[in-house]
Amino acid sequence: MQFKTPEEYKPGDILISHGEIQMKIQTISSEIESYFHGKNVLIIGVMKGSFMVMADLIRALHEAGLYDLTVSALTVSSYGSQTVSSKRPTLKHEIDIDVKGRHILLVEDIIDTGYTLKFVIDELLLRGALSIKTFSLLSKPSRREVNIDADYIGFVIPNVWIQGYGLDTDEWGRGNPDIIIGPIVGTIDK
Ligand code: PRP
């Protein structure tokens, strides 16, 4: 998918429509099903932003034939009400399952600086996860500070402030079915 430059967007513009998101999730679900075929997979959503993509992804995985899965979540926050990463993600809610010896699919809504994903992967490995694959609906490589990316990426997006489809601006806008340009464009590092 081709995006415009950040300057060409204005608040409220749709960056990625709900339909485009669903098509992408379907395609990636088939790849994920092929990879995990025959294995029991523990799917962990990194909350809160990933709640919407978690639901659609798990539904699509079921349709693709992946039935042997356990669903869980943990909550990490590095931004709070700020638009600049604290660079120190903190675990706000614990996972309810022992990850030791498990094959894990980690689900993120967005990778920005990369601190959150690195923090979560390190934590799960420390706890004895057997393998970890990562899915992120969005990736914003222009903002990366940690050399990390997801195994499965929905859309590589420009450096624009976005909200919707689970993502917020200070808790506002998570329920929008589309991903839209948030109130501040271009200059913000998230
Ligand atoms: C957002 C998003 C990712 C993280 C990515 O979470 O959901 O988890 O930032 O940023 P990074 O790559 O720079 O670390 P946020 O801390 O805003 O919490 P939220 O999911 O509850 O909105």
Side-chain angles (χ1 to χ4, degrees):
M1 195 170 156
Q2 279 295 90
F3 295 103
K4 298 184 283 188
T5 61
E7 298 71 32
E8 292 174 285
Y9 289 105
K10 60 180 190 313
D13 285 353
I14 293 179
L15 184 71
I16 308 169
S17 72
H18 190 72
E20 288 165 332
I21 296 169
Q22 298 309 312
M23 278 194 288
K24 183 64 77 174
I25 288 175
Q26 264 188 23
T27 306
I28 295 181
S29 291
S30 301
E31 294 172 33
I32 295 176
E33 193 281 328
S34 302
Y35 177 80
F36 282 107
H37 196 85
K39 286 191 188 117
N40 172 271
V41 51
L42 171 57
I43 304 184
I44 302 177
V46 182
M47 297 293 137
K48 297 184 282 191
S50 70
F51 71 90
M52 212 177 272
V53 70
M54 269 288 270
D56 286 339
L57 181 68
I58 290 167
R59 202 161 19 216
L61 286 172
H62 181 89
E63 280 161 11
L66 189 66
Y67 310 119
D68 190 9
L69 53 87
T70 305
V71 176
S72 192
L74 45 77
T75 306
V76 178
S77 186
S78 18
Y79 288 90
S81 62
Q82 305 298 309
T83 51
V84 179
S85 171
S86 66
K87 304 186 182 184
R88 279 190 293 275
T90 51
L91 200 52
K92 300 278 183 190
H93 292 115
E94 257 296 349
I95 190 167
D96 64 342
I97 280 178
D98 185 2
V99 301
K100 195 164 186 216
R102 303 296 300 263
H103 294 291
I104 293 171
L105 174 67
L106 209 50
V107 178
E108 261 289 19
D109 51 341
I110 185 166
I111 307 172
D112 188 287
T113 62
Y115 286 108
T116 303
L117 189 62
K118 168 124 182 34
F119 169 79
V120 176
I121 290 173
D122 287 351
E123 189 63 35
L124 295 175
L125 288 175
L126 207 66
R127 296 177 185 196
L130 189 57
S131 72
I132 303 175
K133 284 282 178 189
T134 51
F135 166 94
S136 183
L137 180 65
L138 307 169
S139 177
K140 209 189 267 186
S142 58
R143 297 303 313 168
R144 205 72 93 246
E145 294 180 25
V146 178
N147 186 19
I148 198 166
D149 223 331
D151 298 302
Y152 304 98
I153 297 169
F155 302 92
V156 176
I157 61 167
N159 186 21
V160 285
W161 181 267
I162 47 167
Q163 66 183 42
Y165 199 70
L167 291 100
D168 70 310
T169 302
D170 202 5
E171 295 300 327
W172 187 265
R174 290 193 196 270
N176 196 322
D178 304 309
I179 294 172
I180 67 163
I181 303 297
I184 319 157
V185 192
T187 52
I188 296 295
D189 60 344
K190 184 181 177 192

